[in-house]
Amino acid sequence: MFRAAFRSSILSTRPSALLTSSPSSFSKSLLIARRNLTQEAKEKILDAVNATPVVLFMKGTPDQPQCGFSRAAIQILDMQGVPPEKLKTFNVLEDPELRSSIKEFSDWPTIPQLYVNGEFVGGCDILLGMHQSGELESLLEKNGVLPPIEGEATKSSS
Amino acid sequence: MPISLPDLENAIRTAIPVAHLEIEDQSNGCGENYAIVVVSDAFEGKTTLARHRFINEVLKNEIAEMHAFSQKTFTPKQYEAHLQKST
């Protein structure tokens, strides 16, 4: 009896809740983590992702990305035409604490990580997929980062 | 300890029913750089973000050991459409 109750709170190596394909296992996985993150680090990140419409945590800088995935992410934002005043990037290689705390904050294991208006969007794979499908453009428009294009809002013109 | 391909495959197959799975070791043998494609019915009705979070969780320990990890997640229907588009 006790064991069953504990299982969901410990979830040490491979959470048993995830071994089933029940729909609820997806949302359960979001509730784990958030353990070693200090309150201070958490607040710093919260402030950062809310201070600028588009925030990218990356390796290196937009001019000198230090990793192919971060390079791809910044190139996508550039192609989308995100104006520089609406974009803020953080170089996690310069800040080891941020590098680990952002992973925990977002519950996401890799860098880069994109936030739009304080909401976590995803990493490089998701960004690339959304860029190709047009979802990223509509997300940026919806959040007022890009001005809407009259007539053909989200459809690509190919 | 490099992560082995069978470990990754096992972890995914135990977690969800898999219609198609590709795991590519892009590391030239050091086992630190993988790209995977997962096709599963379990993704039906889930956002891409939720799917990726799910896979991240299933492979949590493995990803922590890797240098780079990249994933694509499809439902069987989406995968069919994806294959047709890319041929």
Side-chain angles (χ1 to χ4, degrees):
Chain A
M1 280 304 231
F2 269 110
R3 225 163 260 170
F6 269 125
R7 212 181 288 157
S8 59
S9 61
I10 301 172
L11 291 171
S12 52
T13 48
R14 184 140 304 132
S16 55
L18 287 169
L19 296 180
T20 68
S21 58
S22 73
S24 63
S25 59
F26 274 85
S27 47
K28 259 182 209 157
S29 66
L30 303 184
L31 299 175
I32 326 162
R34 320 274 155 95
R35 246 166 302 168
N36 302 317
L37 188 62
T38 65
Q39 193 59 33
E40 194 196 342
K42 191 178 163 182
E43 272 164 26
K44 260 193 348 207
I45 295 172
L46 256 177
D47 286 347
V49 298
N50 286 313
T52 319
V54 182
V55 177
L56 183 72
F57 297 90
M58 64 182 291
K59 290 182 177 172
T61 61
D63 291 334
Q64 281 190 306
Q66 301 288 316
C67 163
F69 297 99
S70 288
R71 182 195 304 276
I74 202 76
Q75 280 176 346
I76 289 170
L77 295 179
D78 190 47
M79 273 187 273
Q80 290 286 344
V82 173
E85 71 275 11
K86 290 188 175 168
L87 171 68
K88 168 101 178 145
T89 66
F90 289 89
N91 180 2
V92 302
L93 296 180
E94 274 179 356
D95 188 342
E97 200 201 344
L98 177 64
R99 185 177 179 175
S100 64
S101 55
I102 190 63
K103 291 180 184 177
E104 221 173 312
F105 180 87
S106 311
D107 189 20
W108 195 260
T110 48
I111 309 289
Q113 298 185 10
L114 182 76
Y115 278 81
V116 173
N117 284 342
E119 284 288 321
F120 180 65
V121 177
C124 184
D125 293 327
I126 289 188
L127 209 55
L128 188 59
M130 289 177 75
H131 174 63
Q132 287 163 342
S133 69
E135 284 168 275
L136 184 61
E137 189 181 3
S138 41
L139 177 87
L140 292 172
E141 280 178 11
K142 212 173 65 192
N143 280 276
V145 175
L146 299 177
I149 297 168
E150 277 174 47
E152 43 130 35
T154 60
K155 296 275 178 289
S156 73
S157 52
S158 57
Chain B
M1 261 281 279
I3 299 126
S4 78
L5 211 132
D7 286 352
L8 289 173
E9 182 168 352
N10 273 338
I12 297 169
R13 287 192 188 276
T14 337
I16 43 170
V18 169
H20 178 71
L21 180 64
E22 286 169 37
I23 304 178
E24 194 190 340
D25 182 351
Q26 301 178 322
S27 70
N28 300 320
C30 77
E32 288 201 351
N33 186 351
Y34 284 95
I36 70 168
V37 176
V38 190
V39 182
S40 171
D41 278 325
F43 293 143
E44 199 70 61
K46 310 289 175 211
T47 64
T48 309
L49 185 60
R51 297 172 189 187
H52 282 220
R53 279 201 194 279
F54 180 78
I55 294 293
N56 286 345
E57 188 58 40
V58 170
L59 301 179
K60 197 177 183 168
N61 299 329
E62 288 82 359
I63 292 173
E65 300 288 315
M66 288 181 204
H67 172 71
F69 176 73
S70 159
Q71 59 173 311
K72 284 195 175 127
T73 50
F74 299 101
T75 62
K77 245 186 238 160
Q78 287 175 327
Y79 188 57
E80 228 169 83
H82 171 78
L83 288 181
Q84 279 181 356
K85 237 198 312 187
S86 51
T87 48

